[in-house]
């Protein structure tokens, strides 16, 4: 797995109504040399009614969304935060990256590592055959705590899972050198 000295882990929360997804939270954490050095976290305004399921899942309320800046402002601030830093995510190529692109922010070329794909590849080697690859399940298995379905917490958990995988790789290299 590629080892990045500097990267940003990101995550989105969204509200899907009539098969259209609306971004309601954008978050990211920047890491340098395995340390969090900055974070970005913003709710995004939408006039689409918040689904009660989403409220229950994320804890995001209609009031938080109504008082938030418009999505265009949030994405402009997020793009500035990201700059040209490599990105990592958890299954982001499936939903988060396409949703950002639909809203005018294409970060596909900066997407360096999908931690979900890494977890899937490591299931028998590093994850003892774990069957459920949800971020919360993989994090719990690795002893990483966080509040699932809060995009800032999910971004942090993604970064910490990535770091744990790097540690597994480093340990494996050390063992191979000893042999």
């Amino acid at each position: 797995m590629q080892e990045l000295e500097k990267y940003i882990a990101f995550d989105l929360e969204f509200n899907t109504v009539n098969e259209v997804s609306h971004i309601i939270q954008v978050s990211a954490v920047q890491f340098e040399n395995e340390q969090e050095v900055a974070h970005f976290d913003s709710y995004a305004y939408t006039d689409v009614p918040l689904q009660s399921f989403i409220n229950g899942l994320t804890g995001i309320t209609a009031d938080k969304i109504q008082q938030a800046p418009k999505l265009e402002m949030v994405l402009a601030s997020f793009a500035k935060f990201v700059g040209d830093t490599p990105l990592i995510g958890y299954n982001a190529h499936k939903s988060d990256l396409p949703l950002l692109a639909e809203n005018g922010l294409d970060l596909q070329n900066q997407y360096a590592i999908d931690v979900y794909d890494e977890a899937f590849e490591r299931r028998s080697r590093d994850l003892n055959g774990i069957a459920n690859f949800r971020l919360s399940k993989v994090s719990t298995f690795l002893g990483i705590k966080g509040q699932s379905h809060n995009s800032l917490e999910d971004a942090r958990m993604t970064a910490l899972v990535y770091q744990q995988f790097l540690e597994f790789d480093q340990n494996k290299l050390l063992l191979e050198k000893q042999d």
Side-chain angles (χ1 to χ4, degrees):
M1 179 173 67
Q2 181 182 5
E3 183 173 351
L4 302 169
E5 294 288 320
K6 180 179 178 181
Y7 64 91
I8 292 175
F10 78 102
D11 189 65
L12 307 177
E13 296 299 334
F14 47 90
N15 179 38
T16 303
V17 177
N18 297 327
E19 299 181 26
V20 177
S21 295
H22 305 272
I23 298 171
I24 58 174
Q25 186 181 17
V26 179
S27 302
V29 288
Q30 181 178 348
F31 276 74
E32 290 183 31
N33 300 315
E34 300 180 7
Q35 298 295 315
E36 183 178 333
V37 296
H39 72 273
F40 177 91
D41 185 36
S42 181
Y43 296 110
Y45 172 82
T46 179
D47 57 2
V48 176
L50 188 65
Q51 299 294 305
S52 60
F53 168 77
I54 297 299
N55 170 253
L57 183 67
T58 66
I60 298 172
T61 63
D63 287 346
K64 288 177 183 175
I65 300 305
Q66 293 301 312
Q67 297 171 12
K70 292 190 179 210
L71 182 60
E72 297 79 25
M73 291 177 55
V74 172
L75 293 183
S77 296
F78 179 61
K80 186 175 180 181
F81 177 80
V82 168
D84 62 357
T85 305
L87 296 171
I88 71 170
Y90 203 85
N91 215 12
H93 57 80
K94 185 176 178 183
S95 60
D96 293 358
L97 287 171
L99 193 51
L100 286 172
E102 286 173 22
N103 286 280
L105 183 58
D106 186 356
L107 297 173
Q108 186 67 42
N109 290 336
Q110 285 176 247
Y111 197 57
I113 297 169
D114 194 290
V115 181
Y116 174 89
D117 292 343
E118 283 293 326
F120 187 79
E121 288 179 23
R122 294 166 179 266
R123 68 188 177 276
S124 61
R125 182 176 72 236
D126 295 329
L127 299 173
N128 293 345
I130 192 171
N132 187 326
F133 293 98
R134 286 197 333 250
L135 177 60
S136 61
K137 297 295 184 185
V138 172
S139 296
T140 299
F141 179 83
L142 296 172
I144 298 167
K145 294 182 171 51
Q147 179 187 345
S148 189
H149 298 293
N150 171 293
S151 63
L152 183 58
E153 287 290 307
D154 284 346
R156 282 192 177 113
M157 287 190 295
T158 297
L160 295 174
V161 169
Y162 168 67
Q163 288 182 3
Q164 183 66 61
F165 289 165
L166 287 174
E167 187 176 321
F168 288 156
D169 292 349
Q170 291 165 355
N171 290 342
K172 183 179 177 189
L173 285 174
L174 287 174
L175 288 172
E176 288 172 0
K177 284 182 182 179
Q178 288 179 357
D179 290 342

